[in-house]
């Protein structure tokens, strides 16, 4: 089965109410041989960077989440029944992956202790303070941290746009299954190309005010 593809509600998606959320693109999930290496994760870097460039051009908030755990394992809960040790605070595994176009002005959601980027963090508070209604989500992994976050976002009434080519799962089967589930009532499944074309009709006015979209 393939994900349900709905037309994007373009009349409700505007630059001033949209943010880009890059989920857990950390060394322990991206690097070769890492404990939580996600197949295809390294190939996401150029795709996510294109989304970052688009977000910067439209002055959207860009947020990077970073899962982190205390070295004494006190905050894992039952996670280690399912996953190997990963993302210990102060280690390279918590660092964002090489090649990501991160800027000092970007927001970081750190000390994320659970799969869900909202649980126990200030993500929701930050988004509401920025008057965000629409979230473009990307990163890893489709069937774990991405899906957990998307479900909560939807239940908090954020409109989620999920470019299928900008996320990767622990396997192709898990990736496709997660997209199928999210496509029902939780997210608009789309592509990075469609996302970056969202406001093309406004681009001439935008460029006249802010300069080239490639700046």
């Amino acid at each position: 089965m393939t994900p349900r593809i709905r037309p994007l509600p373009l009349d409700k998606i505007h630059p001033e109410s949209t943010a880009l959320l890059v989920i857990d693109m950390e060394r322990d999930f991206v690097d070769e041989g890492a404990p939580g290496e996600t197949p295809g994760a390294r190939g996401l870097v150029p795709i996510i960077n294109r989304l970052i460039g688009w977000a910067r051009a439209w002055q959207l908030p860009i947020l990077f989440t970073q899962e982190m755990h205390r070295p004494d394992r006190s905050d894992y809960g039952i996670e280690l029944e399912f996953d190997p040790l990963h993302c210990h605070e102060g280690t390279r595994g918590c660092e964002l992956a090489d090649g990501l176009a991160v800027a000092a002005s970007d927001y970081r959601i750190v000390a994320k202790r659970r799969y869900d980027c909202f649980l126990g963090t200030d993500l929701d508070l930050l988004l509401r303070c920025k008057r965000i209604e629409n979230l473009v989500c990307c990163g890893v992994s489709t069937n774990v941290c991405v899906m957990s976050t998307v479900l909560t976002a939807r239940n908090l009434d954020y409109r989620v746009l999920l470019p299928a080519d900008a996320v990767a799962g622990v396997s192709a089967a898990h990736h496709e299954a997660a997209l199928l589930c999210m496509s029902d009532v939780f997210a608009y499944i789309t592509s990075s190309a469609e996302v970056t074309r969202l406001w093309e009709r406004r681009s001439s006015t935008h460029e006249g005010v802010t300069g080239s979209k490639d700046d």
Side-chain angles (χ1 to χ4, degrees):
M1 297 179 68
T2 57
R4 179 177 181 179
I5 306 298
R6 291 182 173 86
L8 298 180
L10 300 178
D11 59 322
K12 298 176 181 178
I13 304 170
H14 308 288
E16 58 272 18
S17 59
T18 301
L20 176 65
L21 183 64
V22 183
I23 299 172
D24 292 4
M25 285 293 289
E26 299 164 83
R27 289 182 179 277
D28 268 358
F29 300 126
V30 176
D31 285 1
E32 185 175 2
E37 180 184 1
T38 305
R42 290 185 293 282
L44 298 181
V45 172
I47 299 170
I48 290 174
N49 281 347
R50 285 194 289 274
L51 289 170
I52 291 171
W54 161 80
R56 293 205 203 291
W58 288 99
Q59 301 180 2
L60 310 186
I62 300 169
L63 304 91
F64 290 87
T65 70
Q66 291 169 261
E67 182 174 342
M68 295 182 181
H69 294 284
R70 295 182 176 90
D72 67 0
R73 310 183 188 181
S74 58
D75 55 34
Y76 274 107
I78 65 170
E79 187 170 345
L80 295 180
E81 296 177 21
F82 301 91
D83 294 324
L85 290 168
H86 60 283
C87 296
H88 280 175
E89 288 179 344
T91 67
R92 279 172 53 84
C94 289
E95 295 174 2
L96 293 174
D98 284 342
L100 284 173
V102 186
S105 58
D106 297 332
Y107 295 98
R108 302 284 191 100
I109 304 297
V110 297
K112 169 182 172 286
R113 311 297 190 187
R114 292 293 181 266
Y115 301 138
D116 183 348
C117 295
F118 287 95
L119 187 61
T121 74
D122 66 349
L123 176 58
D124 183 51
L125 177 63
L126 176 58
L127 294 174
R128 294 191 186 281
C129 286
K130 302 290 286 184
R131 304 293 189 268
I132 298 302
E133 300 174 2
N134 309 293
L135 274 181
V136 178
C137 293
C138 58
V140 294
S141 63
T142 317
N143 55 295
V144 184
C145 293
V146 173
M147 186 163 69
S148 295
T149 301
V150 167
L151 268 58
T152 296
R154 168 63 182 81
N155 283 314
L156 291 172
D157 283 322
Y158 293 102
R159 186 176 296 106
V160 178
L161 281 62
L162 188 68
D165 59 328
V167 291
V170 299
S171 71
H174 284 85
H175 171 78
E176 294 298 333
L179 291 178
L180 177 64
C181 290
M182 287 186 283
S183 74
D184 185 22
V185 295
F186 292 103
Y188 289 90
I189 306 301
T190 182
S191 67
S192 60
E194 187 172 8
V195 168
T196 57
R197 290 196 300 264
L198 270 174
W199 304 304
E200 281 185 346
R201 285 176 292 181
R202 298 178 53 171
S203 62
S204 58
T205 302
H206 171 76
E207 289 171 13
V209 174
T210 65
S212 168
K213 291 171 65 179
D214 295 326
D215 286 350

